[in-house]
Structure formats: structure tokens, C-alpha cells
Amino acid sequence: MNIHVLSLFPNMFEGVFGSSILKKAQEKGAVTLGVTDFREFSINKHNQVDDYPYGGGAGMVLKPEPLFNAVEALVSEGKKPRIILMCPQGERYTQAKAEELAQEEDLIFLCGHYEGYDERIRQHLVTDEISIGDYVLTGGELGAMTVIDSVVRLLPGVLGNNDSPVLDSFSTGLLEHPHYTRPAEFRGMKVPDVLLSGNHAKIDQWREQQSIKRTFERRPDLLDKMELNPKQQNYLNSLKLGK
């Protein structure tokens, strides 16, 4: 996968792209990551990328020329990358969206600042608008980092265990079950006996039920979107009844 970011503050990405899973993914050849300052594609001598909004109002608006020019310079002939605008007005980001984007070969992220974008950028340049939550950040950089991290970790071979992303919270529609490791007892707190039993069928059942229980307690809205099998539904019903 090739991922490129257009930002006015490219140095913000140095630590993120050079650390942890994103660094390892690049070393393994699973992804190439690049950042360009789109101010370089301004069309005037002052390198201006924003201007006052037509009709008046507070703040400044990003001009269309620098972003259009930067994207066109990045896109090779015959390529059709997903061009993603990080924006509070975009669709709410989910694990399902991460899995969708992980199937692509080329992604370009547009990170804006100021009051907003010229509407022609939305209408004629981008393919996706994404919001990471119902709040406003200073710019799109932190949101882009979040999305990129969540996508890259899904690429084959990036994580040490290929089952890890499949079993993550939200990937199955449920929150992930609790985890335990050594020691089996710590300050009087014990690991559940079933996890020490060696009975993998019972362990799988316990984990599934714990996922349902945790989702019911913390994110019941997720269960409204799921089709549970009869056993799962019976367990959920018992939780609702307080059994």
C-alpha cells in the first residue's frame, strides 16, 4: 500500500511514522508513507493557501488550487487513489471503514486548517470525507494519523499474529473479551479458572460470552446492529434478565 499525506505541518508526522507498528510496516515493505507540504503547490509568490470567504464571515478558507495541484502531482497515470478529506462533517470513522480502506493500493489524505475548505475540493477532488468523532481539532493531522494507524495494522504481515486484527474490538461487531496473563494469582486476584483449564471449547465459549457481556454493559448500541445466533441471543437475554 502507498499512503501519502498532504499537510501544512509535515513535521508532525515524523515521530508517528518513525515509531512502533508504522515503522515496522515500512521496514517489512507492507506500506510506503509520505508527507508533502501542499504550500509548495501555491500559485502565488507569497505561497498563500487560504483566503477570506466569499460572503464574509469569520476565519479563512483553504483555496482549491494548492490541493488540486498537489494531488495531481502525486497521482500517476492510470492510478485512481482514494482521496480522503479529514473533516468534522465527514462520515463517522469505524473499524468497518478501516477494513474497507485496507483493501486499497493507494490512499491520499488531505489535512486542512483554518475555518474550512473551498467547497469545490469536496465536490470535485475527494472520494471520502472522514471524521474521527464529534469534536473539532485544530487540523486534520491527528485524525489522519489515527486512520492511517488503524488501516496499516490490518495489512497482511504487519502484526506478529495475523489473527490479532480479526479478533480486535469492533471487527466482530462486539467489544473484545478480557485478557489475562501470568501470574495466575496477583495480590489475591485470580485468573478465571476456565482459562487455566486447557479446554479450548470452553475457553472459546467463555470469551464469546464475555464479549457479549462487555458489549451489553458498555456499548449496547452495537448489539442493535448485530444478528446473533440462537446461543448468543439466549445468553444476551439472560443478561437482560439479570441472571
Side-chain angles (χ1 to χ4, degrees):
M1 174 179 281
N2 302 301
I3 297 178
H4 208 94
V5 180
L6 296 177
S7 167
L8 295 174
F9 303 93
N11 60 325
M12 290 180 65
F13 291 85
E14 291 177 4
V16 175
F17 284 2
S19 306
S20 190
I21 293 297
L22 293 181
K23 179 182 179 182
K24 292 178 180 178
Q26 293 174 86
E27 292 172 345
K28 292 179 178 180
V31 66
T32 60
L33 300 174
V35 190
T36 295
D37 184 348
F38 63 84
R39 191 180 296 277
E40 299 173 4
F41 292 86
S42 174
I43 61 172
N44 65 43
K45 63 182 180 180
H46 301 295
N47 293 326
Q48 184 180 3
V49 295
D50 62 320
D51 211 332
Y52 295 102
Y54 279 124
M60 303 290 279
V61 176
L62 282 173
K63 295 164 62 64
E65 306 99 311
L67 284 169
F68 272 82
N69 291 342
V71 168
E72 288 165 0
L74 285 173
V75 178
S76 304
E77 186 175 350
K79 292 278 189 178
K80 292 185 177 180
R82 295 280 284 272
I83 302 172
I84 300 163
L85 188 71
M86 300 306 303
C87 173
Q89 300 175 33
E91 67 174 287
R92 177 78 73 87
Y93 192 58
T94 63
Q95 184 67 19
K97 188 69 172 183
E99 293 169 358
E100 175 190 329
L101 295 177
Q103 304 303 313
E104 299 290 333
E105 291 184 4
D106 298 279
L107 301 176
I108 297 176
F109 289 82
L110 311 186
C111 303
H113 274 256
Y114 313 117
E115 185 64 25
Y117 304 91
D118 184 289
E119 189 65 17
R120 288 165 289 190
I121 296 169
R122 299 181 192 278
Q123 294 178 339
H124 302 289
L125 183 61
V126 306
T127 60
D128 302 80
E129 294 185 45
I130 289 178
S131 167
I132 62 168
D134 295 340
Y135 49 87
V136 179
L137 297 169
T138 303
E141 285 78 9
L142 295 177
M145 294 174 195
T146 299
V147 175
I148 291 168
D149 182 271
S150 67
V151 169
V152 171
R153 66 190 305 278
L154 295 174
L155 300 180
V158 168
L159 297 183
N161 186 332
N162 288 332
D163 290 335
S164 293
V166 178
L167 300 175
D168 281 340
S169 290
F170 304 111
S171 290
T172 63
L174 299 169
L175 299 184
E176 196 170 7
H177 57 78
H179 293 276
Y180 294 88
T181 189
R182 294 178 178 84
E185 182 174 347
F186 173 69
R187 296 183 181 179
M189 298 175 284
K190 297 182 178 180
V191 172
D193 290 338
V194 64
L195 297 179
L196 307 175
S197 68
N199 187 323
H200 293 290
K202 287 187 176 181
I203 291 172
D204 288 344
Q205 181 184 39
W206 180 87
R207 286 175 170 169
E208 180 181 69
Q209 291 180 345
Q210 289 296 309
S211 287
I212 295 171
K213 181 180 179 182
R214 181 158 286 186
T215 306
F216 174 69
E217 293 172 343
R218 303 184 183 189
R219 290 292 306 276
D221 57 296
L222 296 176
L223 291 168
D224 295 335
K225 306 171 186 177
M226 288 195 65
E227 291 186 14
L228 301 178
N229 64 42
K231 286 185 178 180
Q232 292 171 328
Q233 188 62 55
N234 287 339
Y235 181 70
L236 177 60
N237 291 340
S238 71
L239 294 175
K240 292 178 177 179
L241 294 173
K243 295 181 179 179

